[in-house]
Amino acid sequence: MPIATHSATDSSIPWIKPEKKQDVFDASLAQAYGSLALVSAHGEELDDDAHYPYNHLKPSFPIFTTPALVPFEIKDRGLSAPSLPAQLDGASKKENLFLKKASSFKFVTPALGVEVRGVDLRKLTDGEKDDLALLGAQVGVVIVRGQNDLTLDEQLEFGRHYGPLHKHPTTAIPREAGREEVHLVYADANSRPDTSAFAKEELYHSDVTFEHQPPGLTSLRLVAVPETGGDTIFSSGYALHSSFSPAFQAYLATLSAVHSGVAQSNGAKAIGNHVRREAVESIHPVVRVHPVTGLKSIFVNPGFTRRIVGVPKPESDAILALLYKGFVVNADFQLRANWEEGTIVFWDNRIVTHSALFDFYPARRHGVRVTPQAERPLSVEAYEAQYGVKAKDWATERAKEFGIKPVVKKDDGKVVERGFKD
């Protein structure tokens, strides 16, 4: 049967159930497709569950095509935030309006995250939404509790405030028609974990970085939360950048890397799923600068980054392995977000990587992600040319906040025996 072509906004999209796939799922295909390739055993639609209120949001693999994405100009909403410093190189002394709206909030770790209660996202002004964007740029992750009454349409409209919503080219979307802007997260008793597909460290990623303009402030809300497990780990690209020596930071700032959606696209085709938009590859700086904070962040991930441009393969492999490992092993750069009913988590995909824990089998974990696109990643050189100020280092700026003078230890090369204190 020929594949019909439809606009992504066409409400008459044919929601066609794919033909039955192979009976045995090949883990090597999951490796190409992504960590949630086991959304269902074979990429087909799942049956309804009696009394489950979100059957209409279960995974579907409709057959339609969308055109290639076109470049667009965008000003980050955080740059319009009422509490933003007058100068990009200044320190904000103004109270964040989004946090002011909360009944309580607490910063989760020194490096990453804030947890907020007592805010109704449906009632925020544009200024308060812009201050949320600024907050996300500063702390990476914003966990907002108590959003039980937020509808999917309201979550989508909220996301549009920050940029055009991304339509994923391969993964499942809700079976309810007209939901092409929703990325689904779904696993249940049919989604048996397969440890042969990935090593755990390979699952850390920033979303769809193969796009020419990858996402900015992204939101995820779980409509079905496991009783235990299913946390999401976030890791800071700001803090990882700060962990390296000044000389290595300077070298990384000269590098760019290829980010590719080809493996994900080929993996989808291999298990019989229709690819809605042809795969793309992009070249992005290894160190990108957030346009709102001016802070430098490591911007690579094992999910989509393939190689560093213009260096020998052994050098590329070694550098990427070091950076990937840094996201995983530095617990002090991380936040572990636990989910409860009514929680929505915002994270800035430009400055954090993340990985969901698949430790809840056979329980159900079902979520809807809204993914606004942002600017094309800015290198240090491009940022400084565009904004006329120097890009900054996270740890250096944090030290200034506490009035701490940086100390550079002199290394004379002597071997010093050190033991654990515990």
Side-chain angles (χ1 to χ4, degrees):
M1 182 180 73
I3 295 173
T5 302
H6 296 262
S7 164
T9 58
D10 188 348
S11 61
S12 64
I13 287 173
W15 294 75
I16 301 171
K17 183 174 181 178
E19 296 178 3
K20 184 75 173 177
K21 311 295 191 303
Q22 67 269 26
D23 290 332
V24 178
F25 190 84
D26 185 345
S28 65
L29 302 183
Q31 188 167 10
Y33 191 41
S35 61
L36 294 182
L38 301 184
V39 149
S40 68
H42 313 291
E44 65 206 34
E45 290 189 17
L46 302 173
D47 294 332
D48 284 348
D49 293 332
H51 311 301
Y52 182 56
Y54 299 107
N55 282 314
H56 63 293
L57 297 180
K58 278 191 172 181
S60 179
F61 298 86
I63 298 177
F64 66 94
T65 59
T66 58
L69 301 182
V70 296
F72 59 91
E73 294 293 326
I74 186 168
K75 177 184 176 183
D76 193 284
R77 296 300 307 188
L79 290 169
S80 301
S83 65
L84 185 73
Q87 301 293 328
L88 285 173
D89 57 353
S92 177
K93 301 299 183 184
K94 302 175 185 177
E95 187 174 15
N96 186 286
L97 297 184
F98 175 74
L99 291 180
K100 186 177 180 180
K101 197 90 169 180
S103 61
S104 66
F105 65 88
K106 65 177 181 180
F107 291 97
V108 184
T109 77
L112 206 59
V114 62
E115 182 177 344
V116 179
R117 295 184 184 270
V119 169
D120 188 340
L121 293 176
R122 301 171 302 170
K123 298 179 180 179
L124 296 185
T125 66
D126 284 353
E128 290 161 348
K129 293 177 184 176
D130 293 346
D131 262 1
L132 171 57
L134 172 60
L135 183 63
Q138 292 169 329
V139 303
V141 181
V142 182
I143 304 168
V144 186
R145 306 293 190 187
Q147 304 306 301
N148 303 62
D149 296 328
L150 186 75
T151 67
L152 179 54
D153 284 324
E154 288 168 335
Q155 184 182 352
L156 287 163
E157 191 59 31
F158 197 94
R160 291 188 188 100
H161 182 76
Y162 301 107
L165 299 187
H166 182 258
K167 301 179 180 74
H168 203 286
T170 64
T171 58
I173 57 180
R175 62 174 62 168
E176 182 178 69
R179 298 301 192 189
E180 300 82 32
E181 294 170 321
V182 176
H183 174 84
L184 266 188
V185 173
Y186 189 91
D188 62 13
N190 296 306
S191 311
R192 187 180 296 276
D194 186 345
T195 56
S196 69
F198 285 95
K200 297 288 177 65
E201 62 268 21
E202 294 174 322
L203 300 180
Y204 282 75
H205 65 284
S206 298
D207 295 317
V208 296
T209 59
F210 52 80
E211 301 289 13
H212 300 323
Q213 292 182 246
L217 190 67
T218 301
S219 68
L220 176 65
R221 182 169 60 98
L222 294 190
V223 298
V225 183
E227 184 175 345
T228 184
D231 293 354
T232 304
I233 297 177
F234 295 90
S235 191
S236 171
Y238 286 162
L240 179 57
H241 175 270
S242 291
S243 71
F244 296 121
S245 67
F248 192 55
Q249 290 178 0
Y251 174 56
L252 291 176
T254 69
L255 301 176
S256 296
V258 175
H259 295 242
S260 176
V262 172
Q264 189 178 65
S265 179
N266 289 344
K269 293 175 182 177
I271 62 172
N273 285 344
H274 175 63
V275 172
R276 299 184 289 273
R277 174 164 52 87
E278 285 305 309
V280 298
E281 294 187 329
S282 299
I283 296 176
H284 297 314
V286 169
V287 178
R288 75 179 295 178
V289 183
H290 198 292
V292 176
T293 63
L295 294 173
K296 292 176 274 191
S297 180
I298 300 298
F299 191 65
V300 297
N301 68 92
F304 300 114
T305 309
R306 294 293 169 259
R307 62 183 178 87
I308 294 175
V309 177
V311 303
K313 186 177 187 303
E315 184 176 341
S316 172
D317 291 348
I319 293 170
L320 290 176
L322 175 65
L323 300 181
Y324 297 159
K325 182 179 179 181
F327 279 119
V328 176
V329 303
N330 288 291
D332 50 333
F333 301 168
Q334 296 175 353
L335 174 156
R336 181 162 171 161
N338 69 298
W339 295 88
E340 58 188 51
E341 186 178 350
T343 293
I344 183 169
V345 175
F346 295 88
W347 67 94
D348 196 319
N349 260 303
R350 292 167 286 195
I351 58 173
V352 298
T353 60
H354 62 279
S355 179
L357 297 183
F358 203 176
D359 56 353
F360 52 88
Y361 179 82
R364 190 195 326 256
R365 185 179 186 271
H366 187 186
V368 286
R369 191 185 83 198
V370 175
T371 316
Q373 291 179 258
E375 76 286 347
R376 186 139 194 171
L378 292 170
S379 67
V380 173
E381 181 181 15
Y383 170 83
E384 293 178 348
Q386 181 171 334
Y387 289 94
V389 293
K390 287 288 187 182
K392 298 175 289 187
D393 174 73
W394 174 81
T396 302
E397 297 305 306
R398 186 168 177 80
K400 289 179 183 177
E401 290 179 19
F402 288 99
I404 301 171
K405 294 182 179 180
V407 176
V408 179
K409 290 185 177 181
K410 198 169 184 180
D411 187 350
D412 58 10
K414 294 180 180 179
V415 176
V416 178
E417 295 291 341
R418 292 185 174 92
F420 288 112
K421 294 182 179 179
D422 293 338

